[in-house]
Amino acid sequence: MRWQGQAVQESDGAALIPLKGLMRSVRTPEFEGVTFHEVAAKTALNKVPGQSNMPFSWTVNPTRGCLHQCVYCLSPDTLILMGDGRQRLLRDVTVGDRVVGTEFDGKYRRFVESEVQAKWGTEKPAFRVTLRDGTEIVASGDHRFLTERGWKYVWKPDGGGQRPCLTENNRLMGFGLGMAPEDYEAPRETEQYRGRAAHGRTFHSVAPSIDRTLNILGRALKTSNDLRIASIQPLGGMKKLIDITTSTGDFIANGVVSHNCFARKTHEYLDLDSGRDFDTQIIVKTNVAEVLRAELNRPSWKREHVALGTNTDPYQRAEGRYQLMPGIIRALADSGTPFSILTKGPLLKRDLPLLQEAARQVPVSVAVSLAVMDPELQQKVEPGTPDPRARLNLIRSITDAGLECSVLAMPILPWLTDGDERIDTLHAALAEAGASYVTTGALHLRPGAREWFMQWLAREYPGLVGKYRRIYDGGSYASKEYRQWLAASARAARRRHGFDKPADLMWRERNDPNSPLSSQGTMAAASAPAQPALF
């Protein structure tokens, strides 16, 4: 895709934001819904805070923001249930509004009030989901709805893929457009409302004029109407869609429980929106290689180790357009600076000849993050990232090029990706791919991520909530007993599959949060692979 002529014009205020050094903002159909802000950076090297226990002091991040995330979107005409019990069109919902979401209270999922934290629009292929009671919902294929069998996507991604999708055997959870009065309190207009709702195609034209409330806060989620899937129809072409982020991670759309995309706060220091912008407003330091070379040539530079990929993946899809990494690799090697790369992206294969050349000049280490072998689970916790098979192929390519490739099997998720059998399967696959070393680490629930993850866990795996609360006990780290067990299981798997522990890798063991040798039990979590939906 040629990007010439794709610059956003000044009249398009929605895309232009006040960024220091901003040269232009670019959109392209190749990245629907994404704006790239090309900036002239003044610095490239980032100093790691002194209080950090990372085994390196410097990083380089050519981009800010991440394209690994997925976006779940609905038609602007979708009715959203507000906290006061009234319905409002999604197009009219604003940040700060109170809507109805759900959360678990013991063994029941209940309706609760939820705050809208972010809102954004995009254009994507759309699908019409029709239910047996006449309810219709227009959504992107990436959108998820709650069924009696858990969260399911509307449609499979292009080329197939392993993720749970809606079928005509599924029933959505909620009340639909024809809510039964015996289930929830409603005023006298309910029967008229139900009659109109049966005509799903005309509902949007009449519902906003109905002055009525649905008094359901605090009530348990249950379904009595026929909310089975009747059909799912591709609408063809690109449609304007909208999504919101809420404090509970869900909301009620056309009477059914709808998943949303989760806000993260990594862009806030740039005065960018914490929900939409991390995924759709990508800051690209187009001159990063030149600035880095100048910094590395300073007499004061001590040629300390530089880590790439500690904040955002340097081999996201946009790297194929901007090609920033070749210049970064050359600048580091030419200056005699040792460096390491952590990635999930197969695009690194493009630069293997450069890395081979650099390794003849300076110490170079490459690591791939891979902790989940189940493709379906992997897409739940890391939607939009390369699947396990693609990452195994990347490891093979790295080792075939004569470079060592270590693997960060982090984070290990208790009861989801742990267990002796799963850990052994992971190590066996990594050994077959030629990995040189494997570092495991239990899930680290940092403040902010902790609340988000527990909400996600309650929706996807409610039976595990109590277990997680016991082993994390309200803190960031799994219990010492769990970390010791995981260390022993991983150590046994490494022995079985030939991952001998070289002396020059002993620092990994000392800093592995699962290791009894670790003094703090905290290091590796900070290098854990970024999880778009979880972190």
Side-chain angles (χ1 to χ4, degrees), residues 36-260:
F36 294 91
H37 301 286
E38 300 175 355
V39 302
K42 292 185 177 181
T43 61
L45 285 167
N46 301 302
K47 179 70 174 177
V48 176
Q51 65 271 25
S52 171
N53 53 8
M54 289 294 97
F56 48 82
S57 299
W58 299 90
T59 67
V60 174
N61 297 294
T63 61
R64 298 281 185 183
C66 187
L67 290 172
H68 285 329
Q69 309 304 314
C70 64
V71 177
Y72 320 101
C73 308
L74 293 169
S75 165
D77 294 328
T78 304
L79 283 170
I80 306 302
L81 181 59
M82 308 302 291
D84 63 3
R86 289 178 168 79
Q87 309 259 11
R88 185 183 300 175
L89 293 177
L90 178 56
R91 69 169 80 249
D92 298 326
V93 174
T94 61
V95 173
D97 281 347
R98 310 296 293 186
V99 299
V100 175
T102 71
E103 68 178 15
F104 276 98
D105 176 15
K107 63 179 180 179
Y108 296 105
R109 183 187 288 270
R110 297 185 183 276
F111 293 105
V112 298
E113 198 171 58
S114 183
E115 181 180 359
V116 178
Q117 298 178 332
K119 178 183 177 182
W120 62 94
T122 186
E123 292 189 8
K124 302 184 72 174
F127 301 80
R128 176 179 286 113
V129 179
T130 304
L131 309 183
R132 296 290 182 90
D133 77 333
T135 298
E136 290 184 354
I137 312 166
V138 174
S140 73
D142 293 325
H143 203 89
R144 282 186 285 177
F145 292 100
L146 185 62
T147 75
E148 81 287 2
R149 297 179 181 177
W151 294 101
K152 293 200 172 185
Y153 293 87
V154 170
W155 200 259
K156 288 188 178 296
D158 291 341
Q162 299 294 321
R163 70 183 190 187
C165 295
L166 295 176
T167 70
E168 293 186 6
N169 294 323
N170 292 136
R171 182 184 65 172
L172 300 190
M173 301 300 293
F175 43 81
L177 298 185
M179 184 173 58
E182 63 270 20
D183 286 334
Y184 301 102
E185 295 178 19
R188 289 175 297 178
E189 294 90 345
T190 298
E191 290 304 319
Q192 178 186 13
Y193 173 82
R194 291 179 64 196
R196 289 173 175 175
H199 302 282
R201 295 185 185 277
T202 62
F203 176 77
H204 294 314
S205 66
V206 300
S209 66
I210 300 176
D211 184 13
R212 58 186 303 280
T213 61
L214 309 181
N215 301 315
I216 63 176
L217 292 179
R219 292 175 178 266
L221 173 63
K222 53 184 177 179
T223 300
S224 62
N225 289 337
D226 192 355
L227 301 185
R228 289 176 294 168
I229 302 292
S231 65
I232 303 175
Q233 298 173 305
L235 296 182
M238 308 299 291
K239 304 295 182 183
K240 290 184 178 181
L241 302 172
I242 296 175
D243 197 18
I244 58 176
T245 290
T246 70
S247 56
T248 57
D250 62 0
F251 54 96
I252 311 303
N254 282 7
V256 296
V257 182
S258 168
H259 204 284
N260 68 208

Side-chain angles (χ1 to χ4, degrees), residues 298-340:
R298 291 173 181 168
S300 59
W301 176 243
K302 298 180 181 180
R303 294 172 177 76
E304 299 176 74
H305 181 96
V306 173
L308 300 162
T310 60
N311 184 26
T312 56
D313 195 328
Y315 283 102
Q316 299 178 49
R317 284 193 303 133
E319 169 61 17
R321 152 69 178 113
Y322 286 103
Q323 301 186 40
L324 301 176
M325 284 298 291
I328 292 173
I329 292 170
R330 291 190 185 98
L332 290 166
D334 291 347
S335 69
T337 300
F339 65 93
S340 61

Side-chain angles (χ1 to χ4, degrees), residues 517-530:
L517 299 179
S518 174
S519 59
Q520 299 182 16
T522 61
M523 173 268 173
S527 296

